[in-house]
Tab-separated table of all heavy atoms in Angstrom:
chain	number	residue	atom	x	y	z
A	155	GLN	N	-161.537	95.522	-81.991
A	155	GLN	CA	-162.083	94.193	-81.726
A	155	GLN	C	-161.132	93.453	-80.802
A	155	GLN	O	-159.953	93.295	-81.118
A	155	GLN	CB	-162.271	93.402	-83.024
A	155	GLN	CG	-163.368	93.942	-83.928
A	155	GLN	CD	-163.523	93.138	-85.200
A	155	GLN	OE1	-162.636	92.397	-85.600
A	155	GLN	NE2	-164.666	93.288	-85.857
A	156	GLY	N	-161.651	93.050	-79.653
A	156	GLY	CA	-160.845	92.270	-78.713
A	156	GLY	C	-159.601	92.975	-78.230
A	156	GLY	O	-158.576	92.331	-77.968
A	157	LEU	N	-159.679	94.302	-78.071
A	157	LEU	CA	-158.495	95.094	-77.699
A	157	LEU	C	-158.081	94.775	-76.266
A	157	LEU	O	-158.876	94.892	-75.332
A	157	LEU	CB	-158.804	96.577	-77.841
A	157	LEU	CG	-157.633	97.549	-77.675
A	157	LEU	CD1	-156.587	97.316	-78.752
A	157	LEU	CD2	-158.139	98.992	-77.727
A	158	MET	N	-156.815	94.388	-76.094
A	158	MET	CA	-156.306	94.012	-74.780
A	158	MET	C	-154.978	94.730	-74.502
A	158	MET	O	-154.152	94.892	-75.391
A	158	MET	CB	-156.105	92.502	-74.696
A	158	MET	CG	-157.391	91.692	-74.762
A	158	MET	SD	-157.118	89.917	-74.524
A	158	MET	CE	-156.293	89.504	-76.063
A	159	LYS	N	-154.820	95.155	-73.255
A	159	LYS	CA	-153.573	95.774	-72.843
A	159	LYS	C	-153.380	95.581	-71.357
A	159	LYS	O	-154.294	95.826	-70.557
A	159	LYS	CB	-153.592	97.279	-73.170
A	159	LYS	CG	-152.359	98.040	-72.705
A	159	LYS	CD	-151.093	97.553	-73.399
A	159	LYS	CE	-149.853	98.304	-72.916
A	159	LYS	NZ	-148.616	97.799	-73.552
A	160	SER	N	-152.194	95.137	-70.975
A	160	SER	CA	-151.844	94.960	-69.565
A	160	SER	C	-150.600	95.765	-69.252
A	160	SER	O	-149.722	95.959	-70.104
A	160	SER	CB	-151.589	93.480	-69.250
A	160	SER	OG	-152.760	92.707	-69.420
A	161	TYR	N	-150.540	96.242	-68.015
A	161	TYR	CA	-149.338	96.867	-67.474
A	161	TYR	C	-148.850	95.955	-66.354
A	161	TYR	O	-149.326	96.037	-65.223
A	161	TYR	CB	-149.645	98.263	-66.937
A	161	TYR	CG	-150.221	99.209	-67.966
A	161	TYR	CD1	-151.581	99.506	-67.976
A	161	TYR	CD2	-149.410	99.810	-68.921
A	161	TYR	CE1	-152.121	100.383	-68.912
A	161	TYR	CE2	-149.934	100.689	-69.868
A	161	TYR	CZ	-151.287	100.969	-69.855
A	161	TYR	OH	-151.814	101.834	-70.784
A	162	GLY	N	-147.920	95.078	-66.699
A	162	GLY	CA	-147.513	94.079	-65.707
A	162	GLY	C	-148.683	93.160	-65.392
A	162	GLY	O	-149.292	92.560	-66.284
A	163	LYS	N	-149.045	93.083	-64.123
A	163	LYS	CA	-150.156	92.231	-63.706
A	163	LYS	C	-151.515	92.913	-63.802
A	163	LYS	O	-152.549	92.281	-63.595
A	163	LYS	CB	-149.922	91.746	-62.261
A	163	LYS	CG	-148.703	90.848	-62.101
A	163	LYS	CD	-148.549	90.393	-60.655
A	163	LYS	CE	-147.330	89.469	-60.492
A	163	LYS	NZ	-147.169	89.021	-59.080
A	164	VAL	N	-151.499	94.219	-64.099
A	164	VAL	CA	-152.756	94.974	-64.187
A	164	VAL	C	-153.311	94.882	-65.599
A	164	VAL	O	-152.671	95.313	-66.563
A	164	VAL	CB	-152.534	96.451	-63.814
A	164	VAL	CG1	-153.833	97.231	-63.957
A	164	VAL	CG2	-151.988	96.567	-62.399
A	165	ARG	N	-154.513	94.338	-65.730
A	165	ARG	CA	-155.156	94.207	-67.036
A	165	ARG	C	-156.025	95.448	-67.273
A	165	ARG	O	-157.139	95.539	-66.781
A	165	ARG	CB	-155.993	92.928	-67.082
A	165	ARG	CG	-155.172	91.665	-66.909
A	165	ARG	CD	-156.064	90.441	-66.909
A	165	ARG	NE	-156.710	90.244	-68.209
A	165	ARG	CZ	-157.725	89.410	-68.405
A	165	ARG	NH1	-158.243	88.731	-67.388
A	165	ARG	NH2	-158.250	89.279	-69.614
A	166	ALA	N	-155.473	96.403	-68.020
A	166	ALA	CA	-156.174	97.667	-68.241
A	166	ALA	C	-157.338	97.500	-69.208
A	166	ALA	O	-158.400	98.079	-69.025
A	166	ALA	CB	-155.203	98.713	-68.762
A	167	LEU	N	-157.132	96.730	-70.282
A	167	LEU	CA	-158.179	96.436	-71.255
A	167	LEU	C	-158.297	94.928	-71.398
A	167	LEU	O	-157.294	94.238	-71.595
A	167	LEU	CB	-157.849	97.066	-72.614
A	167	LEU	CG	-157.663	98.590	-72.647
A	167	LEU	CD1	-157.279	99.045	-74.053
A	167	LEU	CD2	-158.907	99.317	-72.167
A	168	ARG	N	-159.533	94.438	-71.365
A	168	ARG	CA	-159.740	92.986	-71.365
A	168	ARG	C	-160.674	92.549	-72.496
A	168	ARG	O	-161.601	91.779	-72.289
A	168	ARG	CB	-160.303	92.550	-70.007
A	168	ARG	CG	-159.349	92.850	-68.846
A	168	ARG	CD	-159.858	92.278	-67.551
A	168	ARG	NE	-161.009	93.017	-67.056
A	168	ARG	CZ	-161.961	92.485	-66.286
A	168	ARG	NH1	-161.922	91.208	-65.964
A	168	ARG	NH2	-162.965	93.231	-65.860
A	169	GLY	N	-160.386	93.063	-73.690
A	169	GLY	CA	-161.188	92.682	-74.843
A	169	GLY	C	-162.239	93.722	-75.195
A	169	GLY	O	-163.437	93.434	-75.171
A	170	VAL	N	-161.793	94.936	-75.545
A	170	VAL	CA	-162.705	96.043	-75.821
A	170	VAL	C	-163.130	96.023	-77.291
A	170	VAL	O	-162.290	96.021	-78.194
A	170	VAL	CB	-162.037	97.393	-75.487
A	170	VAL	CG1	-162.866	98.551	-75.999
A	170	VAL	CG2	-161.825	97.504	-73.986
A	171	ASP	N	-164.438	96.025	-77.522
A	171	ASP	CA	-165.014	96.100	-78.864
A	171	ASP	C	-165.751	97.429	-79.013
A	171	ASP	O	-166.688	97.708	-78.266
A	171	ASP	CB	-166.007	94.951	-79.101
A	171	ASP	CG	-165.339	93.580	-79.054
A	171	ASP	OD1	-164.155	93.480	-79.429
A	171	ASP	OD2	-166.005	92.611	-78.643
A	172	LEU	N	-165.315	98.229	-79.974
A	172	LEU	CA	-165.922	99.535	-80.224
A	172	LEU	C	-166.139	99.733	-81.717
A	172	LEU	O	-165.347	99.245	-82.535
A	172	LEU	CB	-165.011	100.664	-79.731
A	172	LEU	CG	-164.948	100.992	-78.247
A	172	LEU	CD1	-163.826	101.992	-77.999
A	172	LEU	CD2	-166.268	101.533	-77.747
A	173	GLU	N	-167.181	100.454	-82.064
A	173	GLU	CA	-167.375	100.877	-83.446
A	173	GLU	C	-168.024	102.250	-83.438
A	173	GLU	O	-169.130	102.417	-82.914
A	173	GLU	CB	-168.237	99.887	-84.221
A	173	GLU	CG	-168.309	100.216	-85.714
A	173	GLU	CD	-168.970	99.116	-86.533
A	173	GLU	OE1	-168.331	98.052	-86.711
A	173	GLU	OE2	-170.121	99.312	-86.958
A	174	VAL	N	-167.320	103.224	-83.981
A	174	VAL	CA	-167.784	104.614	-84.011
A	174	VAL	C	-167.970	105.022	-85.459
A	174	VAL	O	-167.064	104.874	-86.285
A	174	VAL	CB	-166.767	105.552	-83.323
A	174	VAL	CG1	-167.251	106.992	-83.372
A	174	VAL	CG2	-166.526	105.116	-81.877
A	175	GLN	N	-169.159	105.536	-85.778
A	175	GLN	CA	-169.470	105.934	-87.141
A	175	GLN	C	-168.880	107.306	-87.451
A	175	GLN	O	-168.729	108.149	-86.577
A	175	GLN	CB	-170.988	105.968	-87.335
A	175	GLN	CG	-171.682	104.657	-87.024
A	175	GLN	CD	-171.203	103.508	-87.892
A	175	GLN	OE1	-171.132	103.649	-89.113
A	175	GLN	NE2	-170.863	102.393	-87.270
A	176	ARG	N	-168.565	107.513	-88.710
A	176	ARG	CA	-168.076	108.824	-89.133
A	176	ARG	C	-169.158	109.886	-88.904
A	176	ARG	O	-170.338	109.649	-89.153
A	176	ARG	CB	-167.670	108.809	-90.603
A	176	ARG	CG	-166.372	108.042	-90.874
A	176	ARG	CD	-166.032	108.097	-92.348
A	176	ARG	NE	-164.862	107.278	-92.664
A	176	ARG	CZ	-163.622	107.753	-92.844
A	176	ARG	NH1	-163.417	109.055	-92.716
A	176	ARG	NH2	-162.624	106.952	-93.130
A	177	GLY	N	-168.753	111.024	-88.423
A	177	GLY	CA	-169.662	112.137	-88.264
A	177	GLY	C	-170.519	112.099	-87.018
A	177	GLY	O	-171.472	112.870	-86.908
A	178	GLU	N	-170.195	111.248	-86.057
A	178	GLU	CA	-170.979	111.233	-84.821
A	178	GLU	C	-170.128	111.675	-83.640
A	178	GLU	O	-168.893	111.677	-83.693
A	178	GLU	CB	-171.597	109.862	-84.560
A	178	GLU	CG	-170.666	108.782	-84.070
A	178	GLU	CD	-171.407	107.498	-83.678
A	178	GLU	OE1	-172.575	107.577	-83.244
A	178	GLU	OE2	-170.811	106.414	-83.809
A	179	ILE	N	-170.806	112.093	-82.586
A	179	ILE	CA	-170.143	112.413	-81.321
A	179	ILE	C	-170.371	111.226	-80.401
A	179	ILE	O	-171.515	110.921	-80.034
A	179	ILE	CB	-170.703	113.700	-80.703
A	179	ILE	CG1	-170.514	114.890	-81.647
A	179	ILE	CG2	-170.007	113.990	-79.372
A	179	ILE	CD1	-171.059	116.206	-81.108
A	180	PHE	N	-169.294	110.572	-80.048
A	180	PHE	CA	-169.366	109.319	-79.303
A	180	PHE	C	-168.719	109.511	-77.937
A	180	PHE	O	-167.561	109.930	-77.836
A	180	PHE	CB	-168.642	108.212	-80.061
A	180	PHE	CG	-168.892	106.824	-79.550
A	180	PHE	CD1	-169.865	106.018	-80.126
A	180	PHE	CD2	-168.155	106.311	-78.490
A	180	PHE	CE1	-170.098	104.730	-79.663
A	180	PHE	CE2	-168.383	105.030	-78.018
A	180	PHE	CZ	-169.358	104.237	-78.607
A	181	GLY	N	-169.466	109.242	-76.876
A	181	GLY	CA	-168.962	109.380	-75.519
A	181	GLY	C	-168.443	108.059	-74.982
A	181	GLY	O	-169.055	107.002	-75.175
A	182	TYR	N	-167.316	108.139	-74.308
A	182	TYR	CA	-166.669	106.957	-73.715
A	182	TYR	C	-166.651	107.188	-72.218
A	182	TYR	O	-165.820	107.931	-71.695
A	182	TYR	CB	-165.267	106.838	-74.292
A	182	TYR	CG	-164.610	105.487	-74.162
A	182	TYR	CD1	-165.329	104.308	-74.281
A	182	TYR	CD2	-163.235	105.401	-73.961
A	182	TYR	CE1	-164.702	103.076	-74.193
A	182	TYR	CE2	-162.594	104.176	-73.883
A	182	TYR	CZ	-163.327	103.021	-74.001
A	182	TYR	OH	-162.691	101.796	-73.908
A	183	LEU	N	-167.597	106.588	-71.528
A	183	LEU	CA	-167.871	106.909	-70.135
A	183	LEU	C	-167.317	105.833	-69.209
A	183	LEU	O	-167.498	104.637	-69.436
A	183	LEU	CB	-169.388	107.009	-69.940
A	183	LEU	CG	-169.923	107.298	-68.533
A	183	LEU	CD1	-169.507	108.680	-68.070
A	183	LEU	CD2	-171.445	107.166	-68.523
A	184	GLY	N	-166.667	106.271	-68.142
A	184	GLY	CA	-166.183	105.320	-67.154
A	184	GLY	C	-165.452	106.030	-66.032
A	184	GLY	O	-164.972	107.155	-66.210
A	185	PRO	N	-165.351	105.385	-64.882
A	185	PRO	CA	-164.626	105.995	-63.764
A	185	PRO	C	-163.135	106.045	-64.042
A	185	PRO	O	-162.638	105.414	-64.981
A	185	PRO	CB	-164.948	105.058	-62.587
A	185	PRO	CG	-165.243	103.745	-63.220
A	185	PRO	CD	-165.888	104.056	-64.546
A	186	ASN	N	-162.414	106.805	-63.237
A	186	ASN	CA	-160.963	106.863	-63.383
A	186	ASN	C	-160.371	105.468	-63.217
A	186	ASN	O	-160.746	104.732	-62.310
A	186	ASN	CB	-160.366	107.821	-62.351
A	186	ASN	CG	-160.781	109.258	-62.588
A	186	ASN	OD1	-160.977	109.668	-63.722
A	186	ASN	ND2	-160.936	110.026	-61.521
A	187	GLY	N	-159.452	105.133	-64.113
A	187	GLY	CA	-158.819	103.822	-64.045
A	187	GLY	C	-159.571	102.730	-64.777
A	187	GLY	O	-159.160	101.562	-64.746
A	188	ALA	N	-160.649	103.092	-65.489
A	188	ALA	CA	-161.456	102.069	-66.169
A	188	ALA	C	-160.823	101.587	-67.472
A	188	ALA	O	-161.164	100.510	-67.962
A	188	ALA	CB	-162.851	102.620	-66.450
A	189	GLY	N	-159.917	102.383	-68.065
A	189	GLY	CA	-159.286	102.012	-69.327
A	189	GLY	C	-159.527	102.990	-70.462
A	189	GLY	O	-159.156	102.727	-71.606
A	190	LYS	N	-160.104	104.148	-70.156
A	190	LYS	CA	-160.431	105.119	-71.210
A	190	LYS	C	-159.161	105.654	-71.878
A	190	LYS	O	-159.054	105.666	-73.103
A	190	LYS	CB	-161.239	106.282	-70.620
A	190	LYS	CG	-162.523	105.867	-69.916
A	190	LYS	CD	-163.364	107.055	-69.506
A	190	LYS	CE	-162.675	108.017	-68.550
A	190	LYS	NZ	-162.375	107.386	-67.239
A	191	THR	N	-158.215	106.125	-71.078
A	191	THR	CA	-156.987	106.699	-71.625
A	191	THR	C	-156.177	105.649	-72.378
A	191	THR	O	-155.633	105.926	-73.454
A	191	THR	CB	-156.145	107.319	-70.494
A	191	THR	OG1	-156.866	108.412	-69.929
A	191	THR	CG2	-154.804	107.808	-71.017
A	192	THR	N	-156.114	104.448	-71.843
A	192	THR	CA	-155.378	103.370	-72.516
A	192	THR	C	-155.967	103.090	-73.890
A	192	THR	O	-155.233	102.897	-74.871
A	192	THR	CB	-155.399	102.099	-71.655
A	192	THR	OG1	-154.710	102.349	-70.425
A	192	THR	CG2	-154.714	100.937	-72.366
A	193	THR	N	-157.280	103.082	-73.996
A	193	THR	CA	-157.930	102.862	-75.291
A	193	THR	C	-157.511	103.930	-76.293
A	193	THR	O	-157.127	103.617	-77.431
A	193	THR	CB	-159.461	102.880	-75.135
A	193	THR	OG1	-159.862	101.872	-74.210
A	193	THR	CG2	-160.142	102.627	-76.473
A	194	ILE	N	-157.585	105.194	-75.895
A	194	ILE	CA	-157.247	106.291	-76.811
A	194	ILE	C	-155.784	106.213	-77.232
A	194	ILE	O	-155.445	106.427	-78.401
A	194	ILE	CB	-157.575	107.643	-76.155
A	194	ILE	CG1	-159.093	107.809	-76.007
A	194	ILE	CG2	-157.000	108.803	-76.979
A	194	ILE	CD1	-159.528	109.045	-75.247
A	195	ARG	N	-154.906	105.875	-76.322
A	195	ARG	CA	-153.479	105.771	-76.669
A	195	ARG	C	-153.222	104.631	-77.644
A	195	ARG	O	-152.355	104.737	-78.521
A	195	ARG	CB	-152.651	105.606	-75.398
A	195	ARG	CG	-152.582	106.880	-74.563
A	195	ARG	CD	-151.832	106.678	-73.261
A	195	ARG	NE	-151.707	107.935	-72.531
A	195	ARG	CZ	-151.238	108.025	-71.289
A	195	ARG	NH1	-150.869	106.921	-70.630
A	195	ARG	NH2	-151.148	109.208	-70.696
A	196	CYS	N	-153.988	103.561	-77.511
A	196	CYS	CA	-153.859	102.455	-78.470
A	196	CYS	C	-154.347	102.878	-79.856
A	196	CYS	O	-153.779	102.471	-80.878
A	196	CYS	CB	-154.646	101.238	-77.997
A	196	CYS	SG	-153.909	100.343	-76.612
A	197	LEU	N	-155.401	103.693	-79.904
A	197	LEU	CA	-155.928	104.159	-81.189
A	197	LEU	C	-154.892	104.975	-81.956
A	197	LEU	O	-154.873	104.975	-83.187
A	197	LEU	CB	-157.179	105.009	-80.962
A	197	LEU	CG	-158.425	104.287	-80.440
A	197	LEU	CD1	-159.512	105.298	-80.084
A	197	LEU	CD2	-158.949	103.287	-81.455
A	198	LEU	N	-154.026	105.677	-81.239
A	198	LEU	CA	-153.009	106.530	-81.863
A	198	LEU	C	-151.640	105.860	-81.938
A	198	LEU	O	-150.673	106.480	-82.366
A	198	LEU	CB	-152.897	107.843	-81.084
A	198	LEU	CG	-154.088	108.792	-81.235
A	198	LEU	CD1	-154.041	109.886	-80.174
A	198	LEU	CD2	-154.115	109.401	-82.626
A	199	ASP	N	-151.559	104.615	-81.505
A	199	ASP	CA	-150.293	103.880	-81.457
A	199	ASP	C	-149.258	104.565	-80.571
A	199	ASP	O	-148.058	104.493	-80.808
A	199	ASP	CB	-149.704	103.681	-82.870
A	199	ASP	CG	-148.611	102.607	-82.882
A	199	ASP	OD1	-148.820	101.535	-82.289
A	199	ASP	OD2	-147.537	102.856	-83.487
A	200	LEU	N	-149.737	105.250	-79.545
A	200	LEU	CA	-148.821	105.806	-78.548
A	200	LEU	C	-148.360	104.706	-77.600
A	200	LEU	O	-147.298	104.818	-76.989
A	200	LEU	CB	-149.518	106.930	-77.779
A	200	LEU	CG	-149.930	108.136	-78.628
A	200	LEU	CD1	-150.740	109.122	-77.802
A	200	LEU	CD2	-148.711	108.813	-79.237
């Protein structure tokens, strides 16, 4: 909810809201640089 992450002046995530149900296959679609990798790293506390 409201996930935000910046790298200096670059705002990689600007308030991402996601909800994934147990037992489903959920696709996270976007062009390179959209914030997909940053989201996953935040989920794992990397």
Side-chain angles (χ1 to χ4, degrees):
Q155 291 180 341
L157 188 63
M158 294 185 289
K159 177 63 181 178
S160 296
Y161 301 103
K163 295 181 179 180
V164 178
R165 298 178 66 193
L167 301 177
R168 298 186 288 152
V170 170
D171 296 329
L172 282 171
E173 187 170 288
V174 179
Q175 303 300 311
R176 288 181 185 259
E178 75 173 330
I179 300 179
F180 192 96
Y182 199 37
L183 178 65
N186 294 328
K190 303 187 300 296
T191 295
T192 296
T193 301
I194 292 174
R195 289 176 176 172
C196 286
L197 292 172
L198 289 166
D199 196 46
L200 297 174

